[in-house]
Amino acid sequence: MTRRPRLGEIGLNTGKKARLHRILHTYGLGNGTALFLPYDQGLEHGPRDFFANPAASDPAYIVKLAVEGGFNGVALQIGLAEKFFWDYAGEVPLILKLNGKTDIPSDARPLSPLHATVADAVRLGADAVGYTMYVGSPAQEEDFAQFRVVREEAHRLGMPLIVWAYPRGEAVETKGGKDSFYAVDYAARTASEVGADVVKVNFPQPDKRSGVPGGYAAEFTPQQAVDAVVRSANRTLVLISGGEKADDQAMLEKAREAMEAGTTGLIFGRNVWQRDHDDSLRLVSRLKEILAKYPND
Amino acid sequence: MTRRPRLGEIGLNTGKKARLHRILHTYGLGNGTALFLPYDQGLEHGPRDFFANPAASDPAYIVKLAVEGGFNGVALQIGLAEKFFWDYAGEVPLILKLNGKTDIPSDARPLSPLHATVADAVRLGADAVGYTMYVGSPAQEEDFAQFRVVREEAHRLGMPLIVWAYPRGEAVETKGGKDSFYAVDYAARTASEVGADVVKVNFPQPDKRSGVPGGYAAEFTPQQAVDAVVRSANRTLVLISGGEKADDQAMLEKAREAMEAGTTGLIFGRNVWQRDHDDSLRLVSRLKEILAKYPND
Amino acid sequence: MTRRPRLGEIGLNTGKKARLHRILHTYGLGNGTALFLPYDQGLEHGPRDFFANPAASDPAYIVKLAVEGGFNGVALQIGLAEKFFWDYAGEVPLILKLNGKTDIPSDARPLSPLHATVADAVRLGADAVGYTMYVGSPAQEEDFAQFRVVREEAHRLGMPLIVWAYPRGEAVETKGGKDSFYAVDYAARTASEVGADVVKVNFPQPDKRSGVPGGYAAEFTPQQAVDAVVRSANRTLVLISGGEKADDQAMLEKAREAMEAGTTGLIFGRNVWQRDHDDSLRLVSRLKEILAKYPND
Amino acid sequence: MTRRPRLGEIGLNTGKKARLHRILHTYGLGNGTALFLPYDQGLEHGPRDFFANPAASDPAYIVKLAVEGGFNGVALQIGLAEKFFWDYAGEVPLILKLNGKTDIPSDARPLSPLHATVADAVRLGADAVGYTMYVGSPAQEEDFAQFRVVREEAHRLGMPLIVWAYPRGEAVETKGGKDSFYAVDYAARTASEVGADVVKVNFPQPDKRSGVPGGYAAEFTPQQAVDAVVRSANRTLVLISGGEKADDQAMLEKAREAMEAGTTGLIFGRNVWQRDHDDSLRLVSRLKEILAKYPND
Amino acid sequence: MTRRPRLGEIGLNTGKKARLHRILHTYGLGNGTALFLPYDQGLEHGPRDFFANPAASDPAYIVKLAVEGGFNGVALQIGLAEKFFWDYAGEVPLILKLNGKTDIPSDARPLSPLHATVADAVRLGADAVGYTMYVGSPAQEEDFAQFRVVREEAHRLGMPLIVWAYPRGEAVETKGGKDSFYAVDYAARTASEVGADVVKVNFPQPDKRSGVPGGYAAEFTPQQAVDAVVRSANRTLVLISGGEKADDQAMLEKAREAMEAGTTGLIFGRNVWQRDHDDSLRLVSRLKEILAKYPND
């Protein structure tokens, strides 16, 4: 098992440390782990994601759920943060998602444009910002250029920077696909190299081997793969993304393996809110039971 | 029926609330609903839109009509606002349309470039600004980037921001088309996510199903569709666009369904001014009769 | 006949009114009409335009001709304005042409890049600036973006802004061509919508109908077409461009029809200087006889 | 013969006049003509240009040669200027070449990106800056935009601006080629229109007629062609470029014809330093004999 | 043998000289030569480069190795520098690598986008910055434009600028390939022309002749080739890159030939850390034995 990095040893400046400490030790379980509720799917996929549970279409419902469930943070785009975070401001940390896109046009060379700045996050009382980086996209030049400005502003304002590190684009498709161990491993490393404080990745799938470079074509267990991803992220805290709604038992097992590997926490959206209210809270309880087993300083 | 959002609960800063309050409660019916007169078609389609009523080619005629009809606002591009709004400044709110384009070049990856700034709107005494966003366009990266600057400036200057949320571009065409329930619903949500105060959409057409994703391929009545669109917009006020000139009876029915769904008002241009002067005012009266039935705080 | 707009009613700020008044009432006939001498063809077409009268290759000859002919202004690019306007500064108004291009590369998506700023015009004592807009070009996004900066600077510095509104590009070619009534009418309107003070257009040719939208495919006389173009420009003053050298009698008839339609004046280059010196002055006299019949306040 | 323009009549501001006067009257022959040594070929073509005389690979050799030969200036890119001009600073004027490129990628739409600013030139004590403009390139929009900034900065800082006006790109190739009379004539004119103080062109070749527009397809002697080019440049001083190494006698004859036409001087690189040291100085002497016959105020 | 340039004669400003002196004379052998440890492969190639020695995946291991091995500097991207350099800050110089990319998308027109600024390097106490330039890439316009800003900032802040000069892109592939003598020679010269203080190149391979221009198609020994490359770099200090892991004996011979040619040092990454810890240190000792034979002032 890879050791989970401590806040004191990962090179954070004062403001970043203060805010991350608040997220990890004041909210949620308060044991140094994290469970986040992402809610940017209305922009990323459109309202169709709410068909499974129409109540979830209402951002007020989601922010309340984040409070009820004792999440360590809720991630919103600027428009919803402006209109809905006020209701519960202070009761749950806000992660202002800075960029996003619709999934209507072609995804061959994806890039996620900015909608807000780190200064907006400060103004709204957010405790972190989120940035989607499409690792391996043919548009990586624009992506890195855009990210650099965000990184600098986040450093200047002491705002923790969470990178949604998503392998994506036509080149990724030919090299194992977006969930392959190769792609997720490279994505985690990239986020660390370019300056993320926290990186959000999908659980790596070592059986996706078609087109992956040398070493990745060997046999790996899921545990070995997620261990390696956490190592590649080194002193960048890792969050495992829930992705599309999946079978509960399998999902919980992944969560456990991820925590075992040394991730700091989980960021689960559709798996949480694409079910009815009480069922959502029940799942949250089970996820927290796992997190409770992996306390960190 | 979805409840119409109140000005006090949608996260507006002071300047935005002051100006929207003026538009909704001082002009028009003064009951919290709105009827707007858009007049950017001379740029968007060219003078051919005035062939049905040549008098409408003269912006002075239109601004006067907005006053005579008791509209809640008239939407003009910067050139016409500079040359014609002075005549009736203060008698009807100005919505300065910030971007626009001609329809001569290909519409495969549309983007509407800026012609004016929010500061221009302030200088001209406007009470809101308008921005056309082509949701789903392959040019969405530039569109979002351009919008972000407008959103920030509108926030800084307390200027309400109305988004013309138009699904458009080659990708939209293959997924149900620009008026499909899917496309309009996604457009309303997008505007809300990225920070519109008010969103203008076309009436959704649930029978346009070719190529739409999963849930949208089911049967929906127009009322169900427009209800959903208003829900997707959540705390963003919704305006229904009149679009091309249509049969009066059908149009009035759509207006009624829209208000029933919880929209804040209507924005009708060609349906109003592509007929002679007195006929225009008669139609306006009938539209206001509908609005009068849906007062809001 | 459409009435010619008066300077007092077209929304000019103080500096713009002062400079346009100087151009229209202090120089030339001083009767509110204008005759301009454009000299940007050396860049737009190259020195081949001077083969018909080699003396015209010398900018000193042209500036002197503008003084001798009693023109209301001479239009120069920055390089020639810096080197030649000094000789007669104050004796004839300078219109600093701000953008331009060569005609060597493909014209499928034309855009005219900037060579100078409005501040350069102020420094050189110019009384107006000129901007070429290729209406309908596939590059219209860049064109409008570039124009916006010029419009703002011209407003700030009180400098009249004359738009060379030229339909151009591959899309225009398939919809009637650059001189069609449709294209010229749309171009005049576009200039007015986006903030021109004065618009320069070619004389519309209503017989170019191949591919034009609905209404424009009907029969129109040249007089009807130019009347409509002036209406479309509304409170934007209209100048008719001479274009390529043509038969004198036909050209004078067009000039008369244009003034009859309500244009403010004429801007003739090659028709003037592609003949010998004395013949140039004789033509100027005949053009001024026409202008003398259409005085304006 | 076209008269050579005098420094006092070409619209220079004080700083530009001071520096050009220094170049033309303090260095070289001091008679108002100029002989420049360009040394940007290491970037433009790579070290292969030094195979003919390996000593010329060393910039220290070249700067010393410029002093020994009594040149009116040596043109260097920023890297070499920083590292080598110090050795002889003040003994020969420096022309800081502001842009340049390698010839490895395709030349279909060439553009020469900036490596330094006019402020760098001031800091290094340069007396002029050089800018390569690829006249007729499909990239002319970027080229003109980049040039405009340089022109403004050169004006502000009183720094003479020498334009390397090179017809280039796929469109030029189909219209006579880069050395045709048509292309060179248009290039000289373009430089003058957009604000060059001095223009460097290749000697025009009137026998290259394939694809040139109308007038240029006639018969012209080389003398007639170069006369016309100088006329097209009007008050922009003209320098004739040596280009690739050629036969000495032919080259000297071209130099004489150029000076006869009214050019201000010569800028010869490879013809000078692609031979051994003493032979270089002998050639310089012969070139200066020609310049001595065309003194200017 | 080409003489190695001295720090006092290569045009450095005070800050650059101070920092380069520290690197070359205070760390490592302290004899004016250098051995650098580059560690940007995690971004450039992904974690697969660490499969040969998994310990090397941990940046803490590498920074410690740089100290243990007595390197003259370790090159890190901003993310790793922020998180790991603190541990040994002051014990080994930091070279902040300013740009980088993944190798997932196509390499036909490579460009390495910026992740950090020279100001970041100053803040972190770095003694130099690194910039990857893809010489000959079809994206050279953007590359040079990006480099210019870095060069100016490095000059202003007195920070030595090391250019990773890598021939790359589809045009290079058709002209001998990225390691050909032609390509490496041109790359070294380019770095010198555009303002590098130090240039890192691969060892030239004179037997790669397919498609190279004239002179390079002749027979050259490796020693002749590397001699020429050092001459082309003139007063820019040269570092030879180790590249992919190779046979030790061959590698040591190249190192010797490089030093013999006048390079200032070596920059070896994979050849060092793709073996176990003690073996790495043994190799470092052998490399330093070579460097010890080429002291410089």
Side-chain angles (χ1 to χ4, degrees), chain E residues 11-272:
Chain E
L12 299 168
N13 65 20
T14 309
K16 289 191 176 199
K17 183 151 177 270
R19 290 186 172 93
L20 270 182
H21 188 276
R22 191 151 59 211
I23 290 173
L24 296 174
H25 293 282
T26 309
Y27 292 90
L29 290 174
N31 71 339
T33 66
L35 180 64
F36 292 107
L37 187 64
Y39 189 63
D40 57 349
Q41 297 84 354
L43 177 61
E44 300 292 337
H45 314 134
R48 67 182 159 94
D49 271 14
F50 310 125
F51 280 27
N53 175 28
S57 167
D58 184 0
Y61 170 90
I62 294 290
V63 178
K64 186 152 174 270
L65 187 67
V67 173
E68 292 170 337
F71 279 83
N72 296 73
V74 58
L76 301 173
Q77 286 285 352
I78 181 73
L80 302 190
E82 295 270 14
K83 298 183 188 86
F84 293 91
F85 184 59
W86 189 93
D87 299 4
Y88 295 92
E91 300 184 44
V92 62
L94 170 65
I95 299 165
L96 186 67
K97 187 76 199 314
L98 300 183
N99 61 347
K101 63 173 189 62
T102 74
D103 68 356
I104 303 177
S106 160
D107 218 34
R109 56 181 312 284
L111 175 70
S112 187
L114 291 173
H115 297 292
T117 62
V118 180
D120 284 316
V122 172
R123 172 172 57 82
L124 290 165
D127 279 315
V129 291
Y131 181 94
T132 295
M133 179 177 285
Y134 289 125
V135 177
S137 169
Q140 79 174 342
E141 290 161 19
E142 297 97 305
D143 202 357
F144 284 163
Q146 180 175 265
F147 176 75
R148 179 167 59 88
V149 175
V150 170
R151 182 193 61 73
E152 287 174 358
E153 201 187 7
H155 184 271
R156 188 172 56 81
L157 295 169
M159 182 66 68
L161 174 47
I162 305 176
V163 171
W164 272 231
Y166 285 169
R168 212 58 61 89
E170 62 197 16
V172 167
E173 289 314 303
T174 66
K175 299 182 182 175
K178 64 195 173 73
D179 295 319
S180 66
F181 174 22
Y182 163 67
V184 173
D185 201 25
Y186 204 157
R189 181 75 187 198
T190 297
S192 177
E193 295 261 350
V194 301
D197 299 310
V198 183
V199 62
K200 175 196 190 216
V201 291
N202 285 320
F203 200 99
Q205 301 185 7
D207 55 329
K208 300 213 167 167
R209 296 192 185 84
S210 156
V212 301
Y216 292 97
E219 291 277 335
F220 296 94
T221 65
Q223 186 67 58
Q224 287 173 319
V226 73
D227 284 357
V229 167
V230 172
R231 268 201 310 276
S232 290
N234 48 74
R235 290 181 180 168
T236 300
L237 307 183
V238 179
L239 302 176
I240 288 290
S241 172
E244 288 182 31
K245 190 160 182 298
D247 170 76
D248 278 15
Q249 216 40 55
M251 185 185 64
L252 291 165
E253 174 59 15
K254 295 267 184 237
R256 198 196 53 75
E257 286 175 336
M259 294 308 293
E260 191 66 25
T263 63
T264 292
L266 309 168
I267 176 161
F268 277 32
R270 284 169 286 175
N271 277 290
V272 169

Side-chain angles (χ1 to χ4, degrees), chain C residues 39 42-47 51 57 77 79-80 83-84 87 101-105 111 113-117 120 123, chain D residues 10-11 136-137 140-141 144 148 151-152 155 171 175 185-186 189 192-196 215-216 232 234-236:
Chain C
Y39 188 64
L43 177 60
E44 299 292 337
H45 314 134
F51 280 27
S57 166
Q77 285 286 353
L80 302 190
K83 298 183 188 87
F84 293 92
D87 299 2
K101 63 174 188 62
T102 74
D103 68 356
I104 302 178
L111 175 69
L114 290 173
H115 299 291
T117 62
D120 285 316
R123 171 170 59 81
Chain D
I10 59 176
S137 169
Q140 79 174 341
E141 290 160 18
F144 284 164
R148 180 167 60 86
R151 183 193 60 73
E152 288 174 359
H155 185 272
K175 299 181 181 176
D185 200 25
Y186 203 158
R189 181 74 186 199
S192 176
E193 295 261 350
V194 301
Y216 292 97
S232 291
N234 47 74
R235 289 181 180 169
T236 301

